[in-house]
């Protein structure tokens, strides 16, 4: 599975390491991802998601059901 948040869609970005002499080499910026289980009250089941820290905050703020609906509309969810 790739490093993509299933709620916010955050993914690995590419950038540069810049040395003191201003020499640039490629590097990757990884999202802050966690594998986390959430209890989905509407479906009465546990679901396992790969979410970023921002995704966890979004779920805490608007609720799991609303976050899943928003992610499905934007196409971030697999199923």
């Amino acid at each position: 599975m790739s490093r993509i948040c299933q709620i916010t869609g955050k993914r690995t970005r590419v950038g540069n390491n810049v040395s003191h002499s201003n020499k640039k080499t490629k590097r990757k910026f990884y999202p802050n991802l966690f594998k986390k289980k959430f209890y989905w009250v509407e479906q009465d089941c546990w679901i396992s998601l790969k979410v970023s820290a921002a995704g966890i905050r979004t779920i805490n703020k608007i609720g799991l059901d609303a976050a899943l609906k928003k992610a499905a509309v934007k196409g971030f969810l697999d199923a």
Side-chain angles (χ1 to χ4, degrees):
M1 210 171 177
S2 57
R3 292 180 176 161
I4 301 173
C5 176
Q6 292 179 308
I7 297 297
T8 61
K10 287 179 183 260
R11 57 180 55 224
T12 302
R13 306 274 312 224
V14 177
N16 289 316
N17 277 329
V18 182
S19 68
H20 183 67
S21 65
N22 208 25
K23 184 175 180 177
K24 294 166 183 72
T25 55
K26 287 291 184 183
R27 63 157 293 181
K28 292 181 180 178
F29 293 96
Y30 296 109
N32 190 13
L33 290 181
F34 304 94
K35 276 190 172 179
K36 190 152 172 53
K37 290 173 95 175
F38 295 95
Y39 183 70
W40 196 1
V41 178
E42 288 77 7
Q43 298 290 326
D44 192 35
C45 64
W46 288 89
I47 59 170
S48 183
L49 295 174
K50 190 183 274 192
V51 292
S52 64
I56 293 172
R57 291 180 66 219
T58 300
I59 291 170
N60 286 339
K61 186 174 182 180
I62 67 173
L64 180 62
D65 198 43
L68 289 173
K69 285 180 184 174
K70 189 181 281 190
V73 167
K74 292 186 176 182
F76 298 143
L77 288 176
D78 299 333

Coordinates of all heavy atoms in Angstrom, one line a residue:
M1 N 0.8 -1.2 0.0 CA 0.0 0.0 0.0 C 0.9 1.2 0.0 O 1.9 1.3 0.7 CB -0.9 0.0 1.2 CG -2.2 0.6 1.1 SD -3.2 0.3 2.5 CE -4.6 1.2 2.1
S2 N 0.5 2.2 -0.8 CA 1.3 3.4 -0.9 C 1.1 4.4 0.3 O 0.2 4.2 1.1 CB 1.0 4.1 -2.2 OG -0.4 4.5 -2.2
R3 N 1.9 5.3 0.4 CA 1.9 6.3 1.5 C 1.0 7.5 1.2 O 1.4 8.6 0.9 CB 3.3 6.8 1.8 CG 4.2 5.7 2.4 CD 5.6 6.3 2.7 NE 6.4 5.2 3.3 CZ 7.7 5.2 3.3 NH1 8.3 6.2 2.8 NH2 8.3 4.2 3.9
I4 N -0.3 7.2 1.3 CA -1.3 8.2 1.0 C -2.4 8.2 2.1 O -2.8 7.1 2.5 CB -2.0 7.9 -0.3 CG1 -1.0 7.9 -1.5 CG2 -3.1 9.0 -0.6 CD1 -1.6 7.5 -2.8
C5 N -2.7 9.3 2.6 CA -3.8 9.4 3.7 C -5.1 9.2 3.0 O -5.4 9.8 2.0 CB -3.7 10.8 4.3 SG -5.1 11.1 5.5
Q6 N -5.9 8.3 3.6 CA -7.2 8.0 3.0 C -8.3 9.0 3.3 O -9.4 9.0 2.7 CB -7.7 6.6 3.6 CG -6.8 5.5 3.1 CD -7.3 4.2 3.6 OE1 -7.4 4.0 4.8 NE2 -7.5 3.2 2.7
I7 N -8.0 10.0 4.2 CA -9.0 11.0 4.5 C -8.6 12.4 3.8 O -9.5 13.0 3.1 CB -9.1 11.3 6.0 CG1 -9.6 10.0 6.7 CG2 -10.0 12.5 6.4 CD1 -11.0 9.6 6.3
T8 N -7.4 12.8 3.9 CA -7.0 14.1 3.3 C -6.3 14.0 1.9 O -6.2 14.9 1.2 CB -6.0 14.8 4.2 OG1 -4.8 14.0 4.4 CG2 -6.7 15.1 5.6
G9 N -5.9 12.8 1.6 CA -5.2 12.6 0.3 C -3.7 13.0 0.3 O -3.1 13.1 -0.8
K10 N -3.2 13.3 1.4 CA -1.8 13.7 1.5 C -0.9 12.6 1.0 O -1.2 11.4 1.3 CB -1.4 14.1 2.9 CG -1.9 15.4 3.4 CD -1.5 15.7 4.8 CE -2.1 17.0 5.3 NZ -1.1 18.1 5.2
R11 N 0.1 12.9 0.2 CA 1.0 11.8 -0.3 C 2.4 12.3 -0.3 O 2.7 13.5 0.1 CB 0.6 11.5 -1.7 CG 0.6 12.6 -2.7 CD 0.1 12.2 -4.1 NE -1.1 11.6 -4.1 CZ -1.4 10.5 -4.9 NH1 -0.5 10.0 -5.6 NH2 -2.6 9.9 -4.8
T12 N 3.4 11.4 -0.7 CA 4.8 11.8 -0.6 C 5.1 12.9 -1.7 O 4.6 12.8 -2.8 CB 5.6 10.5 -1.0 OG1 5.3 9.5 -0.1 CG2 7.1 10.8 -0.9
R13 N 5.8 13.8 -1.2 CA 6.2 15.0 -2.1 C 7.7 14.8 -2.4 O 8.5 14.2 -1.6 CB 6.0 16.3 -1.4 CG 4.5 16.5 -0.9 CD 3.6 17.1 -1.9 NE 4.2 18.2 -2.6 CZ 3.6 19.3 -2.9 NH1 2.4 19.5 -2.6 NH2 4.2 20.3 -3.5
V14 N 8.2 15.5 -3.4 CA 9.6 15.4 -3.8 C 10.2 16.8 -3.7 O 9.5 17.8 -4.1 CB 9.8 14.9 -5.2 CG1 11.3 14.9 -5.6 CG2 9.2 13.5 -5.3
G15 N 11.4 16.9 -3.1 CA 12.0 18.2 -3.0 C 13.5 18.1 -3.0 O 14.0 17.1 -3.6
N16 N 14.2 19.1 -2.5 CA 15.7 19.1 -2.6 C 16.2 19.2 -1.2 O 15.7 19.9 -0.3 CB 16.2 20.2 -3.4 CG 16.0 20.1 -4.9 OD1 16.2 19.0 -5.4 ND2 15.5 21.1 -5.5
N17 N 17.3 18.5 -0.9 CA 18.2 18.8 0.2 C 19.1 19.9 -0.3 O 19.7 19.8 -1.4 CB 19.1 17.6 0.6 CG 18.4 16.6 1.5 OD1 17.5 17.0 2.3 ND2 18.7 15.4 1.4
V18 N 19.3 21.0 0.5 CA 20.2 22.1 0.1 C 21.3 22.2 1.1 O 21.1 22.4 2.2 CB 19.4 23.4 0.0 CG1 20.3 24.5 -0.5 CG2 18.2 23.2 -1.0
S19 N 22.5 22.0 0.6 CA 23.7 22.0 1.5 C 24.1 23.5 1.7 O 23.6 24.4 1.1 CB 24.9 21.2 0.8 OG 25.3 21.9 -0.3
H20 N 25.1 23.6 2.6 CA 25.6 25.0 2.9 C 26.2 25.6 1.6 O 26.1 26.8 1.4 CB 26.7 24.9 4.0 CG 27.2 26.2 4.4 ND1 26.5 27.1 5.0 CD2 28.5 26.7 4.2 CE1 27.2 28.2 5.3 NE2 28.4 28.0 4.8
S21 N 26.8 24.8 0.7 CA 27.3 25.3 -0.5 C 26.3 25.5 -1.6 O 26.6 25.8 -2.8 CB 28.4 24.4 -1.1 OG 27.9 23.2 -1.4
N22 N 25.0 25.3 -1.2 CA 23.8 25.5 -2.1 C 23.7 24.4 -3.2 O 23.1 24.5 -4.2 CB 23.8 26.9 -2.8 CG 22.4 27.3 -3.1 OD1 21.4 26.8 -2.4 ND2 22.2 28.2 -4.1
K23 N 24.4 23.2 -2.9 CA 24.3 22.1 -3.8 C 23.0 21.4 -3.5 O 22.6 21.2 -2.3 CB 25.5 21.1 -3.6 CG 25.5 20.0 -4.5 CD 26.7 19.1 -4.3 CE 26.7 18.0 -5.3 NZ 27.9 17.2 -5.2
K24 N 22.2 21.0 -4.5 CA 20.9 20.4 -4.3 C 20.9 18.9 -4.7 O 21.4 18.6 -5.8 CB 19.9 21.2 -5.2 CG 19.7 22.6 -4.7 CD 19.0 23.5 -5.7 CE 18.9 24.9 -5.2 NZ 20.1 25.6 -5.2
T25 N 20.4 18.1 -3.9 CA 20.2 16.7 -4.1 C 18.7 16.3 -3.8 O 18.1 16.9 -2.9 CB 21.1 15.8 -3.3 OG1 20.9 16.1 -1.9 CG2 22.5 16.0 -3.7
K26 N 18.2 15.4 -4.6 CA 16.8 15.0 -4.4 C 16.5 14.3 -3.1 O 17.3 13.6 -2.6 CB 16.3 14.1 -5.5 CG 16.2 14.8 -6.9 CD 15.0 15.7 -6.8 CE 14.8 16.3 -8.2 NZ 13.7 17.3 -8.2
R27 N 15.3 14.5 -2.5 CA 14.9 13.9 -1.3 C 13.3 13.8 -1.3 O 12.7 14.4 -2.2 CB 15.3 14.6 -0.1 CG 14.7 16.0 0.0 CD 14.6 16.6 1.4 NE 13.7 15.8 2.2 CZ 13.5 16.1 3.5 NH1 14.1 17.1 4.1 NH2 12.6 15.4 4.2
K28 N 12.8 13.0 -0.4 CA 11.3 12.9 -0.3 C 10.8 13.4 1.0 O 11.5 13.3 2.0 CB 11.0 11.4 -0.4 CG 11.2 10.8 -1.8 CD 10.8 9.4 -1.9 CE 11.1 8.8 -3.3 NZ 10.7 7.4 -3.4
F29 N 9.7 14.0 1.0 CA 9.0 14.5 2.2 C 7.8 13.5 2.4 O 6.9 13.5 1.5 CB 8.4 15.9 2.0 CG 9.5 16.9 1.9 CD1 10.0 17.4 0.7 CD2 10.1 17.4 3.1 CE1 11.0 18.3 0.6 CE2 11.1 18.4 3.0 CZ 11.5 18.9 1.8
Y30 N 7.8 12.7 3.4 CA 6.8 11.7 3.7 C 5.7 12.3 4.6 O 6.0 13.1 5.5 CB 7.3 10.5 4.4 CG 8.3 9.7 3.5 CD1 9.7 9.7 3.8 CD2 7.9 9.0 2.4 CE1 10.5 9.0 3.0 CE2 8.7 8.3 1.6 CZ 10.1 8.3 1.9 OH 11.0 7.7 1.1
P31 N 4.4 12.0 4.3 CA 3.4 12.5 5.2 C 3.4 11.7 6.6 O 4.0 10.6 6.7 CB 2.1 12.1 4.5 CG 2.5 11.0 3.6 CD 3.9 11.2 3.2
N32 N 2.9 12.3 7.6 CA 2.9 11.8 9.0 C 1.7 10.8 9.1 O 0.7 11.2 9.6 CB 2.8 13.0 9.9 CG 3.0 12.5 11.4 OD1 3.5 11.5 11.6 ND2 2.7 13.4 12.3
L33 N 1.9 9.6 8.6 CA 0.8 8.6 8.6 C 0.8 7.7 9.8 O 1.9 7.3 10.3 CB 1.0 7.8 7.3 CG 0.7 8.5 6.0 CD1 0.8 7.5 4.8 CD2 -0.7 9.1 6.0
F34 N -0.4 7.2 10.1 CA -0.6 6.2 11.1 C -1.7 5.2 10.6 O -2.6 5.6 9.9 CB -1.2 6.9 12.4 CG -0.4 8.0 12.9 CD1 -0.7 9.3 12.6 CD2 0.6 7.8 13.8 CE1 0.1 10.4 13.1 CE2 1.4 8.8 14.3 CZ 1.1 10.1 14.0
K35 N -1.5 4.0 11.0 CA -2.5 3.0 10.8 C -3.4 3.0 12.1 O -2.9 2.7 13.2 CB -2.0 1.6 10.6 CG -1.5 1.3 9.3 CD -1.2 -0.2 9.1 CE -1.0 -0.5 7.7 NZ -0.6 -1.9 7.5
K36 N -4.7 3.3 11.9 CA -5.5 3.5 13.1 C -6.9 2.9 12.9 O -7.4 2.9 11.8 CB -5.7 5.0 13.3 CG -6.3 5.4 14.7 CD -5.8 6.8 15.1 CE -6.6 7.3 16.3 NZ -6.6 6.3 17.4
K37 N -7.4 2.3 13.9 CA -8.8 1.8 13.9 C -9.8 2.7 14.5 O -9.5 3.3 15.5 CB -8.8 0.4 14.7 CG -8.1 -0.7 14.0 CD -8.0 -1.9 14.9 CE -9.1 -2.8 14.5 NZ -9.1 -4.1 15.2
F38 N -10.9 2.9 13.8 CA -11.9 3.8 14.3 C -13.2 3.0 14.4 O -13.5 2.1 13.5 CB -12.2 4.9 13.3 CG -11.0 5.9 13.1 CD1 -10.1 5.7 12.1 CD2 -10.9 6.9 14.0 CE1 -9.0 6.6 12.0 CE2 -9.8 7.8 13.9 CZ -8.9 7.6 12.9
Y39 N -14.0 3.3 15.4 CA -15.3 2.7 15.5 C -16.4 3.5 14.7 O -16.6 4.7 15.0 CB -15.7 2.5 17.0 CG -17.0 1.8 17.1 CD1 -17.1 0.5 16.9 CD2 -18.2 2.5 17.5 CE1 -18.3 -0.2 17.0 CE2 -19.4 1.8 17.7 CZ -19.4 0.5 17.4 OH -20.6 -0.2 17.6
W40 N -17.0 2.9 13.7 CA -18.0 3.6 12.9 C -19.4 3.3 13.5 O -19.9 2.2 13.3 CB -17.9 3.1 11.5 CG -18.5 3.9 10.4 CD1 -19.2 5.0 10.6 CD2 -18.6 3.6 9.0 NE1 -19.7 5.5 9.4 CE2 -19.3 4.7 8.4 CE3 -18.0 2.6 8.3 CZ2 -19.5 4.7 7.1 CZ3 -18.3 2.7 6.9 CH2 -19.0 3.7 6.3
V41 N -20.0 4.2 14.2 CA -21.2 4.0 14.9 C -22.4 3.7 13.9 O -23.2 2.9 14.2 CB -21.6 5.3 15.8 CG1 -22.9 5.1 16.5 CG2 -20.4 5.5 16.7
E42 N -22.4 4.4 12.8 CA -23.5 4.3 11.8 C -23.6 2.9 11.3 O -24.7 2.3 11.0 CB -23.4 5.3 10.7 CG -23.7 6.7 11.1 CD -22.6 7.4 11.8 OE1 -21.5 6.8 12.0 OE2 -22.8 8.5 12.3
Q43 N -22.4 2.2 11.1 CA -22.4 0.9 10.5 C -22.2 -0.2 11.6 O -22.2 -1.4 11.4 CB -21.2 0.7 9.5 CG -21.4 1.6 8.3 CD -22.5 1.2 7.4 OE1 -22.8 0.0 7.3 NE2 -23.2 2.1 6.8
D44 N -21.9 0.3 12.9 CA -21.7 -0.6 14.0 C -20.6 -1.6 13.8 O -20.7 -2.8 14.0 CB -23.0 -1.4 14.4 CG -22.9 -2.0 15.7 OD1 -22.3 -1.5 16.6 OD2 -23.5 -3.2 15.9
C45 N -19.4 -1.0 13.3 CA -18.2 -1.9 13.1 C -17.0 -1.1 13.3 O -17.0 0.2 13.3 CB -18.3 -2.5 11.7 SG -18.2 -1.2 10.4
W46 N -15.9 -1.7 13.3 CA -14.5 -1.1 13.4 C -14.0 -1.1 12.0 O -14.1 -2.1 11.2 CB -13.6 -1.9 14.3 CG -13.9 -1.8 15.7 CD1 -14.8 -2.5 16.5 CD2 -13.4 -0.8 16.6 NE1 -14.8 -2.1 17.8 CE2 -14.0 -1.0 17.9 CE3 -12.5 0.3 16.5 CZ2 -13.7 -0.2 19.0 CZ3 -12.2 1.1 17.6 CH2 -12.8 0.8 18.8
I47 N -13.3 0.0 11.6 CA -12.7 0.1 10.3 C -11.2 0.5 10.6 O -10.9 1.3 11.5 CB -13.4 1.1 9.3 CG1 -13.4 2.5 9.9 CG2 -14.7 0.6 8.9 CD1 -13.9 3.5 8.9
S48 N -10.3 0.1 9.7 CA -8.9 0.4 9.8 C -8.6 1.3 8.7 O -8.8 1.0 7.5 CB -8.1 -0.9 9.8 OG -6.7 -0.6 9.9
L49 N -8.0 2.5 9.0 CA -7.6 3.5 8.0 C -6.1 3.8 8.2 O -5.6 3.8 9.3 CB -8.4 4.8 8.2 CG -9.9 4.7 7.9 CD1 -10.6 6.0 8.3 CD2 -10.2 4.3 6.5
K50 N -5.5 4.2 7.1 CA -4.2 4.8 7.1 C -4.4 6.3 6.9 O -4.7 6.8 5.9 CB -3.4 4.3 5.9 CG -1.9 4.6 6.0 CD -1.1 4.2 4.9 CE -0.6 2.8 5.1 NZ 0.4 2.4 4.1
V51 N -4.2 7.0 8.1 CA -4.5 8.5 8.1 C -3.3 9.3 8.6 O -2.5 8.8 9.3 CB -5.8 8.8 9.0 CG1 -7.0 8.2 8.4 CG2 -5.6 8.3 10.4
S52 N -3.3 10.5 8.1 CA -2.2 11.4 8.6 C -2.7 12.1 9.9 O -3.9 11.9 10.3 CB -2.0 12.5 7.5 OG -3.1 13.3 7.3
A53 N -1.8 12.8 10.5 CA -2.2 13.5 11.7 C -3.3 14.5 11.4 O -4.2 14.7 12.2 CB -0.9 14.2 12.3
A54 N -3.2 15.2 10.3 CA -4.3 16.1 9.9 C -5.6 15.4 9.7 O -6.7 16.0 9.9 CB -3.8 16.9 8.7
G55 N -5.5 14.2 9.2 CA -6.7 13.4 8.9 C -7.4 13.0 10.3 O -8.6 13.0 10.4
I56 N -6.6 12.7 11.3 CA -7.1 12.4 12.6 C -7.8 13.6 13.2 O -8.9 13.5 13.8 CB -6.0 11.9 13.5 CG1 -5.5 10.5 13.0 CG2 -6.5 11.7 15.0 CD1 -4.3 10.0 13.7
R57 N -7.2 14.8 13.0 CA -7.8 16.0 13.5 C -9.1 16.3 12.8 O -10.1 16.8 13.4 CB -6.9 17.2 13.3 CG -5.7 17.1 14.3 CD -4.7 18.2 14.1 NE -5.4 19.5 14.5 CZ -5.3 20.6 14.0 NH1 -4.5 20.8 12.9 NH2 -5.9 21.7 14.4
T58 N -9.2 16.0 11.5 CA -10.4 16.2 10.7 C -11.5 15.3 11.2 O -12.6 15.7 11.4 CB -10.1 15.9 9.2 OG1 -9.1 16.8 8.7 CG2 -11.4 16.1 8.4
I59 N -11.2 14.0 11.5 CA -12.2 13.1 12.0 C -12.7 13.5 13.4 O -13.9 13.4 13.6 CB -11.6 11.7 12.0 CG1 -11.4 11.1 10.6 CG2 -12.5 10.7 12.8 CD1 -10.6 9.8 10.5
N60 N -11.8 14.0 14.2 CA -12.2 14.5 15.5 C -13.1 15.7 15.4 O -14.0 15.9 16.2 CB -11.0 14.9 16.4 CG -10.2 13.6 16.9 OD1 -10.8 12.6 16.9 ND2 -9.0 13.8 17.2
K61 N -12.9 16.6 14.4 CA -13.6 17.8 14.3 C -15.0 17.6 13.7 O -16.0 18.0 14.2 CB -12.8 18.8 13.4 CG -13.4 20.1 13.3 CD -12.5 21.1 12.6 CE -13.1 22.5 12.5 NZ -12.2 23.4 11.8
I62 N -15.1 16.9 12.5 CA -16.4 16.7 11.8 C -17.0 15.4 12.0 O -18.1 15.2 11.6 CB -16.2 17.1 10.3 CG1 -15.4 16.1 9.6 CG2 -15.7 18.5 10.1 CD1 -15.3 16.3 8.1
G63 N -16.3 14.4 12.6 CA -16.9 13.1 12.8 C -16.4 12.1 11.7 O -16.1 12.5 10.5
L64 N -16.4 10.8 12.0 CA -16.0 9.8 11.1 C -16.9 9.7 9.8 O -16.4 9.6 8.7 CB -15.9 8.5 11.8 CG -15.4 7.3 11.0 CD1 -13.9 7.6 10.5 CD2 -15.4 6.0 11.7
D65 N -18.2 9.7 10.0 CA -19.1 9.5 8.9 C -18.9 10.6 7.9 O -18.9 10.4 6.7 CB -20.5 9.4 9.4 CG -21.5 8.8 8.4 OD1 -21.1 7.8 7.8 OD2 -22.6 9.3 8.2
A66 N -18.9 11.9 8.4 CA -18.8 13.0 7.5 C -17.4 13.0 6.8 O -17.3 13.4 5.6 CB -19.0 14.3 8.2
A67 N -16.4 12.7 7.5 CA -15.0 12.6 6.9 C -14.9 11.5 5.8 O -14.3 11.8 4.8 CB -14.0 12.4 8.0
L68 N -15.6 10.4 6.1 CA -15.6 9.3 5.1 C -16.3 9.7 3.8 O -15.9 9.4 2.7 CB -16.1 8.0 5.7 CG -15.2 7.3 6.7 CD1 -16.0 6.2 7.3 CD2 -13.9 6.8 6.0
K69 N -17.5 10.4 4.0 CA -18.3 10.8 2.9 C -17.5 11.9 2.0 O -17.5 11.8 0.8 CB -19.6 11.4 3.3 CG -20.6 10.4 3.8 CD -21.9 11.1 4.3 CE -22.8 10.0 4.8 NZ -24.0 10.6 5.4
K70 N -16.8 12.8 2.7 CA -16.0 13.8 2.0 C -14.9 13.2 1.3 O -14.6 13.5 0.1 CB -15.5 14.8 3.0 CG -14.9 16.0 2.4 CD -14.3 17.0 3.4 CE -15.5 17.8 4.0 NZ -15.0 19.0 4.8
A71 N -14.2 12.2 1.9 CA -13.1 11.5 1.2 C -13.6 10.7 0.0 O -12.9 10.6 -1.0 CB -12.4 10.6 2.2
A72 N -14.7 10.1 0.1 CA -15.3 9.3 -1.0 C -15.6 10.2 -2.2 O -15.4 9.8 -3.3 CB -16.5 8.5 -0.5
V73 N -16.2 11.4 -1.9 CA -16.5 12.3 -3.0 C -15.2 12.7 -3.7 O -15.2 12.8 -4.9 CB -17.3 13.5 -2.4 CG1 -17.3 14.6 -3.4 CG2 -18.6 13.1 -2.0
K74 N -14.2 13.0 -2.9 CA -12.9 13.4 -3.5 C -12.1 12.3 -4.1 O -11.1 12.5 -4.8 CB -12.1 14.2 -2.5 CG -12.7 15.5 -2.1 CD -11.8 16.3 -1.2 CE -12.4 17.7 -0.9 NZ -11.5 18.5 -0.1
G75 N -12.5 11.1 -3.8 CA -11.8 9.9 -4.4 C -10.6 9.4 -3.7 O -9.7 8.8 -4.3
F76 N -10.5 9.7 -2.4 CA -9.3 9.3 -1.6 C -9.4 7.9 -1.1 O -8.4 7.2 -0.7 CB -9.0 10.3 -0.4 CG -8.8 11.7 -0.9 CD1 -9.2 12.8 -0.1 CD2 -8.0 11.9 -2.0 CE1 -9.0 14.0 -0.5 CE2 -7.7 13.2 -2.4 CZ -8.2 14.3 -1.7
L77 N -10.6 7.4 -0.9 CA -10.9 6.0 -0.4 C -10.7 5.0 -1.5 O -11.0 5.2 -2.6 CB -12.2 5.9 0.3 CG -12.4 6.7 1.6 CD1 -13.9 6.6 2.0 CD2 -11.5 6.1 2.6
D78 N -10.2 3.8 -1.0 CA -10.0 2.7 -2.0 C -11.4 2.1 -2.4 O -11.6 1.8 -3.5 CB -9.1 1.7 -1.4 CG -7.7 2.2 -1.2 OD1 -7.3 3.2 -1.8 OD2 -7.0 1.7 -0.3
A79 N -12.2 1.8 -1.3 CA -13.4 1.1 -1.6 C -14.6 2.1 -1.5 O -14.7 3.1 -1.0 CB -13.6 0.0 -0.5

